[in-house]
Amino acid sequence: MASSQPSKKPSKAGGGGGGGDGSSGQSLKFARRTSSGRYLSLSKDDVEKSVESSKDYTNYTLHIPVNPENKTSVAAKAEEQYVSNSLFTGGFNSVTRAHLMDKVIDAEVTHPQMAGSKGTSCAMPACDGKVLKDERGVDVIPCECRFKICRDCFLDAQKDTGLCPGCKETYKNDGDDESPPGTLSLPGQENKHTTSLAKRGENGEFDHNKWLFNETSGTYGVGNAYGSPDGGGGKGGGGDPGDKPWRPLTRRLPIPTGIISPYRLLIVVRFVVLCLYLTWRVTNPNTDAMWLWFMSIVCELWFAFSWILDQIPKLCPVNRSVNLQLLHDKFESTDKVVNPEGRSDLPGVDFFVSTADPEKEPPLVTANTILSILAVEYPVEKIACYISDDGGALLTFEAMAEACSFANLWVPFCRKHDIEPRNPDTYFSLKGDPTKNKKRIDFVKDRRKVKREYDEFKVRINNLPDSIRRRSDAFNAREEMKIFKTIRERGVDATEPIKVRRATWMADGTHWPGTWTSPSRDHAKGDHPGILQVMLKPPSPDPLYGSGEEESLVDYSDVDIRLPMFVYMSREKRSGYDHNKKAGAMNALVRSSAVLSNGPFILNLDCDHYIYNCMALREGICFMMDRGGEDICYIQFPQRFEGIDPSDRYANHNTVFFDGNMRALDGVQGPFYVGTGCMFRRFALYGFDPPKLNSLTPEKKGSHDTESGVEAQALKATDFDSDLDVNELPRRFGNSTLLSNSIPVAEFQGRPIADHPAVKYGRPPGVLRKAREPLDATAVAEAVSVISCWYEDKTEWGDRVGWIYGSVTEDVVTGYRMHNRGWRSIYCLTKRDAFRGSAPINLTDRLHQVLRWATGSVEIFFSRNNAFLASKRLKCLQRLAYLNVGIYPFTSLFLIVYCFLPALSLLSGHFIVKNLNAAFLIYLLLMTLCLIGLAVLEVRWSEVSLEDWWRNEQFWLISGTSAHLAAVIQGLLKVMAGIEISFTLTSKAVEDSDDAYAELYLVKWTSLMIPPIVIAMINVLAMVVAFSRTIYSINPQWGEFVGGAFFSFWVLAHLYPFFKGLMGRRKKTPTIVFVWSGLIAITLSLLWVAINPDAGPAGAATAGSNFTFP
């Protein structure tokens, strides 16, 4: 597909994508593909010579983009629509191309923002082209005479004469009446306006930072809390903030003293009792069974250490609340004096959704997630949604296009009737009265229509695989017929087999550039170019209301029908490159979004996690925009799951962790990052330290180019990292200057509003109300460049910048790196669940999930991300929490031994202590009472039910004796010998597909089940043997039997959910499970008898041969 050999690191002018001098632009090929999907690569000179003969193509080269100082012309709007209708591809050693798609999906596109949207017919003779629409659905017409002309004809007219075919007058820029004839400035052409020196950098290029400083009237910098010097509060200010009562957006609510004080006291008491108990145990060994005493004391010492790591960070739990009304008043003021255009001053947010395989992650689920994001309650122009398709599948691409098409109906419906939740599948599945709290009289009628359309939408999504297959078969058959016809015309032997690549075809009749159903070179899962499609172009800054019911399915005449920007992205993959799985995909999203939208905040979701609370995003923004929010790196929301069995047999909800541990860490330095449902500060992801107010002081000086006569300090990336040389920017972030220039802009836009003297690091109010510039092809081409497989070579992506590589739990490591640099995080626990997703409810799937987490923890322990090596910026309690993350899997080694101790005690006739005296029983009683007290109080402040707490304790033992043990073994073998171990599983079909919890009873064999089964069988066997031996002895030692039996019962009680899962619904456990477990249990018992045949209490020895096995 490549026509030339481009530079590995292309240069770009005007803040483009390269590290060149800015004088030469990156070559971008625009072309129509032929019916076979082939490209014809021509140079610009070739096109000018053969433009009349080559009717299938239109190739031209784009130059530098429009600078922010220029007015947005009609041609710029046309260019943005043209770009959004084009599928961009490119990568290593290939030209970046933009294929103008006549249609994205088989159905007709109606929303003006969506790719494939067309206007009326072109007025040029013998042209069947369509006039492009702008974001408001209005035909883009470049001349005042209103002559309708399509994009291709406009380019021809501009290149030939520069005259409008209708009025024969010269095309002119908007607001540029003095332009000479024939100098129409297309988006991307060298613009003729003179840029002020204040907005030029040292090399003469446009300086986005200085432009931003001048736009804010010299208030950009640190400590400018009052806006412009005239007291007007800057361009968007509302006067002196001191004249208004200032209120914070968030509040920190301490836990009631009646709960937290006894809780902390009990922790101290239990710690003291534990120390006294362990001291007593060490000083009072069991001389009759030293081996048993030694194993038990080693295990108990480790458990005490593990308890300290887990319990001490829970000393400072907090609750938080937000004021959403105050957020609205501050950032979305309706005062015409302060905000004449009625626009929002909230910062932009980029949503990231990742998917990899449409077979394992159903496209319908992903589409519902996207729909919930597009309908979020946030300013439409501030939202941009990106989906990363790591599989490069056409199925995912067309499913996302179908979702955008349905969003035209669904999103306005949600806004009109305040729908919640905004996942259509979940909403239409809700039980209860749908008309509750609905005020409009047309709700029932609208709901019925939307429900019917959603049912048809689901049918289309589910039929996409067959539709793509039938379409591809038809086109491939046509290609075979063409080749066969050519062979017959040339007189070649027709009996020879025809070799035709079985391509996958798009709806417009061209080859899909990604993964084909029949993999081929350049079209396989691990070998395909980068793909980027702006499916929904950026909306207009002002509301766009719909039409009445006569013209559309639902009356949206008083509803804003704009949709957020939506981009499909599939990064380039080539053999020989380590693509770093999900972490690599997320970093590709970070770079491409920085070039296209550059939202200062990023919220990432898994494809099966959707927005359940449409106001959750605003609650998270409250923390970022409040005083002191500049050093918050991310906001972590709790994970909530659907489809879990009512009893939560395997602790799938994980409420003890989310509502207990995470809430407690919120009072220290912040919760862990857990992979999804997290809103990041983009600047923190770039590897910078939090702002240091002492080192960043504003430098004011006189300037003739600003109205205020002062200019704030121009903050650059090097101002935030003294060790970063400006010449080292490509080494850290890559060679894209657009990406590098976006960093200080994102940092500035992510600051809180400086509306109070106490806000020492803020931005002036109102600076984010300015409309964003239209997309141009240069920026989109740059976005394709930064997702290429080679871009991260010799950079710090994955090492310091973005998501961190090298661990299967990249989420925890990424959060740890931020905390280690001094950032803090916030736990946002909303009253209504913020997000909901799915979780495995099957025992085997749950064990493998925990195995992956534990394996990542072991990798962390043996890496430089171990909290032992953390910097001084990591607080003490936070360090203990991260130490526990890396250490907790090793508890399984001691837990396994301790679970066997009751059985060994019963079989040997000895106990872990020599005598069950009063001291031992008192210590045991005190520790038990402390444990109960701590559990009750923790349940109170964490608002976790006691049943959830008990389920968590049970699954702790189940996972500790199975998945955690396997993770430790796997981690040790990987570190010491470099051996990778994978645990395979075999499943059987679910018989009761109509049951919502049928998967719960599905039994899948895995080797992880062996240790818990062996533990349980040996404990049961030991109890039977000990009971029989005690009955038949002359002097029964019931005390020792009861002691051992009590601890065996403790083990079996914790394993109860495990065996319940093994039984399934009809007790159809695989026979091999019992055969292997029984064999191991019997072998171990016989081995014990062979090693110590005379073991037993003294009474048993006197019985002699009278003892018989019952």
Side-chain angles (χ1 to χ4, degrees), residues 804-1042:
I804 307 302
Y805 302 153
S807 174
V808 295
T809 52
E810 73 286 336
D811 45 8
V812 177
V813 176
T814 302
Y816 163 77
R817 289 290 186 89
M818 295 182 184
H819 285 141
N820 196 34
R821 287 193 292 268
W823 293 92
R824 64 188 180 96
S825 58
I826 296 293
Y827 191 59
C828 185
L829 187 62
T830 58
K831 291 183 179 180
R832 178 184 175 88
D833 294 345
F835 311 103
R836 283 193 176 181
S838 59
I841 62 175
N842 177 265
L843 174 61
T844 304
D845 295 339
R846 175 71 165 137
L847 289 178
H848 278 267
Q849 181 189 54
V850 174
L851 171 62
R852 185 177 66 85
W853 296 343
T855 302
S857 294
V858 175
E859 291 175 348
I860 291 173
F861 181 81
F862 288 109
S863 71
R864 60 192 179 100
N865 297 310
N866 193 314
F868 279 118
L869 308 176
S871 67
K872 296 180 180 179
R873 298 179 183 179
L874 193 68
K875 295 184 179 180
C876 179
L877 295 184
Q878 194 78 16
R879 187 187 300 265
L880 290 179
Y882 274 114
L883 281 174
N884 191 38
V885 168
I887 290 176
Y888 82 88
F890 295 94
T891 303
S892 61
L893 300 175
F894 303 91
L895 186 61
I896 287 280
V897 174
Y898 209 72
C899 288
F900 278 113
L901 286 183
L904 296 177
S905 176
L906 291 171
L907 291 174
S908 64
H910 299 287
F911 197 49
I912 58 175
V913 294
K914 189 171 185 178
N915 297 309
L916 292 176
N917 52 24
F920 174 77
L921 296 176
I922 290 175
Y923 282 127
L924 184 62
L925 178 62
L926 289 176
M927 288 189 295
T928 303
L929 291 177
C930 289
L931 175 65
I932 295 173
L934 286 173
V936 171
L937 291 174
E938 187 170 326
V939 164
R940 290 285 304 279
W941 64 255
S942 65
E943 300 177 359
V944 176
S945 67
L946 194 59
E947 182 180 5
D948 290 336
W949 182 87
W950 170 237
R951 287 282 182 256
N952 183 77
E953 291 295 311
Q954 288 180 310
F955 195 75
W956 169 77
L957 191 140
I958 294 172
S959 59
T961 55
S962 56
H964 294 176
L965 178 64
V968 172
I969 297 174
Q970 182 172 340
L972 291 175
L973 289 177
K974 181 178 180 180
V975 172
M976 296 181 179
I979 301 176
E980 295 281 354
I981 298 179
S982 60
F983 296 88
T984 58
L985 60 96
T986 303
S987 62
K988 63 178 183 179
V990 181
E991 297 179 1
D992 301 315
S993 58
D994 296 334
D995 188 353
Y997 305 116
E999 187 183 355
L1000 178 68
Y1001 308 104
L1002 186 64
V1003 179
K1004 304 176 184 178
W1005 165 245
T1006 173
S1007 55
L1008 298 178
M1009 295 179 177
I1010 295 179
I1013 293 176
V1014 172
I1015 289 173
M1017 295 189 70
I1018 288 183
N1019 274 276
V1020 171
L1021 180 63
M1023 291 177 66
V1024 172
V1025 171
F1027 180 76
S1028 302
R1029 186 172 53 197
T1030 303
I1031 289 180
Y1032 286 99
S1033 67
I1034 300 176
N1035 297 315
Q1037 301 293 326
W1038 290 104
E1040 296 182 358
F1041 169 75
V1042 170

Side-chain angles (χ1 to χ4, degrees), residues 391-407:
L394 179 59
L395 175 58
T396 303
F397 177 84
E398 295 199 359
M400 296 304 100
E402 290 283 359
C404 293
S405 179
F406 180 69

Side-chain angles (χ1 to χ4, degrees), residues 221-227 240-249 330 625-631 693-694 751-763 824:
V222 183
N224 296 290
Y226 293 96
D240 191 343
D243 297 337
K244 299 179 180 180
W246 184 87
R247 292 181 296 166
L249 292 171
K330 282 189 175 184
M625 292 291 101
D626 202 10
R627 180 177 63 182
E630 66 275 355
D631 63 345
L693 303 184
N694 296 331
R751 297 181 184 182
I753 280 185
D755 58 350
H756 190 273
V759 181
K760 300 299 183 182
Y761 194 83
R763 60 174 174 85
R824 64 188 180 96

Side-chain angles (χ1 to χ4, degrees), residues 679-801:
M679 184 169 67
F680 285 95
R681 183 182 299 276
R682 182 184 289 271
F683 184 72
L685 275 173
Y686 287 145
F688 291 105
D689 296 338
K692 300 176 182 178
L693 303 184
N694 296 331
S695 60
L696 295 177
T697 57
E699 176 185 347
K700 296 185 178 182
K701 60 181 180 179
S703 173
H704 299 289
D705 299 315
T706 57
E707 297 176 0
S708 61
V710 294
E711 178 178 299
Q713 179 184 359
L715 301 181
K716 302 177 182 178
T718 53
D719 294 322
F720 303 100
D721 188 351
S722 57
D723 297 331
L724 179 62
D725 186 1
V726 66
N727 298 322
E728 295 295 322
L729 279 175
R731 186 184 62 83
R732 177 174 293 186
F733 301 105
N735 65 340
S736 171
T737 54
L738 267 182
L739 175 60
S740 299
N741 290 343
S742 71
I743 295 174
V745 176
E747 185 277 330
F748 171 75
Q749 294 181 353
R751 297 181 184 182
I753 280 185
D755 58 350
H756 190 273
V759 181
K760 300 299 183 182
Y761 194 83
R763 60 174 174 85
V767 297
L768 299 186
R769 295 193 182 118
K770 187 177 179 65
R772 62 160 292 161
E773 292 299 318
L775 282 178
D776 60 81
T778 312
V780 183
E782 184 73 2
V784 175
S785 174
V786 298
I787 63 174
S788 59
C789 59
W790 54 263
Y791 186 83
E792 295 183 354
D793 288 354
K794 298 180 181 179
T795 68
E796 295 187 6
W797 285 97
D799 180 47
R800 174 171 178 166
V801 181

